[in-house]
Amino acid sequence: MNNHQLILQDSGTTEYYTPPPIVEAARRVMGGIDLDPASSAAANRTVQAKRFFSRANPDEWRGPWANKPPGVRVWMNHPFNRQWNADWIAKLVAEYEAGRVTQACCITWASTSEAWFRPLYAGLMCFLTPRTGYMLPSGERKRGATKGSVVTYLGDNVTAFIREFAPLGEIPNLKLLDRRDIL
């Protein structure tokens, strides 16, 4: 697979961190972040989740994300990887549907035609503009993304999601709503 094809499915690395303004918007929407199920100590300096799963325990994310009600508020920048995309997205949606996740913001490539992406249509989406320059472990911004990103929200705080994410991109059909009631 050449680099152009690779980026359509896979970032080529699992160490791309979300820029702070996007994470901060998610934190404001959800009122905090309890869990980042696909993280590292370096990424959590920005995310500031109360708990995160990392490569140190590679199967930890497969278990229940909350053990008792109420569920947790989740930020997820999963390791964009062709082999794992479907598993990560399916797990997030299953945890939400089971009530173990009360709210979630998930950033992915805007791979709208891919089977792994389709379960995210259950949520509200913001297609980020311009293309997201993810952060590298060094703290530098990765330039030259060849594909756009989207943040999907699962939860009941729709008004807050629209208010916080509309300035960061396009929310489909938002123009059909009276924005004065939201913003």
Side-chain angles (χ1 to χ4, degrees):
M1 185 178 293
N2 67 37
N3 285 343
H4 177 72
Q5 292 169 318
L6 177 67
I7 205 70
L8 295 177
Q9 292 291 325
D10 194 316
S11 67
T13 181
T14 59
E15 297 301 320
Y16 283 148
Y17 309 144
T18 309
I22 298 169
V23 176
E24 290 163 7
R27 188 178 301 108
R28 288 189 300 269
V29 169
M30 298 186 291
I33 298 172
D34 300 313
L35 175 65
D36 183 348
S39 196
S40 66
N44 199 51
R45 286 194 286 275
T46 297
V47 175
Q48 301 172 16
K50 292 177 184 173
R51 188 170 66 121
F52 67 91
F53 303 152
S54 72
R55 285 181 165 183
N57 296 306
D59 290 325
E60 190 172 29
W61 68 278
R62 294 183 189 274
W65 289 359
N67 293 323
K68 58 184 177 183
V72 293
R73 299 165 295 180
V74 170
W75 166 259
M76 190 171 86
N77 176 347
H78 67 91
F80 297 9
N81 180 288
R82 183 181 183 132
Q83 294 175 322
W84 303 330
N85 286 335
D87 292 343
W88 281 97
I89 300 307
K91 177 65 172 172
L92 173 66
V93 172
E95 290 294 304
Y96 178 72
E97 289 175 350
R100 290 185 292 268
V101 169
T102 56
Q103 296 183 83
C105 285
C106 174
I107 191 168
T108 65
W109 294 126
S111 299
T112 59
S113 64
E114 300 300 324
W116 64 263
F117 186 88
R118 291 185 197 127
L120 295 174
Y121 286 132
L124 185 59
M125 296 181 174
C126 177
F127 292 85
L128 301 171
T129 55
R131 289 183 181 161
T132 303
Y134 289 87
M135 307 305 293
L136 299 171
S138 67
E140 295 177 63
R141 186 175 297 267
K142 171 73 174 151
R143 304 266 183 222
T146 60
K147 188 170 186 89
S149 295
V150 60
V151 174
T152 302
Y153 174 69
L154 301 170
D156 293 333
N157 206 353
V158 171
T159 301
F161 180 81
I162 293 170
R163 182 184 62 243
E164 295 299 331
F165 278 89
L168 299 178
E170 291 294 324
I171 299 173
N173 299 325
L174 181 58
K175 292 176 180 136
L176 299 176
L177 302 173
D178 186 348
R179 290 180 64 151
R180 291 172 296 176
D181 293 339
I182 297 166
L183 303 174

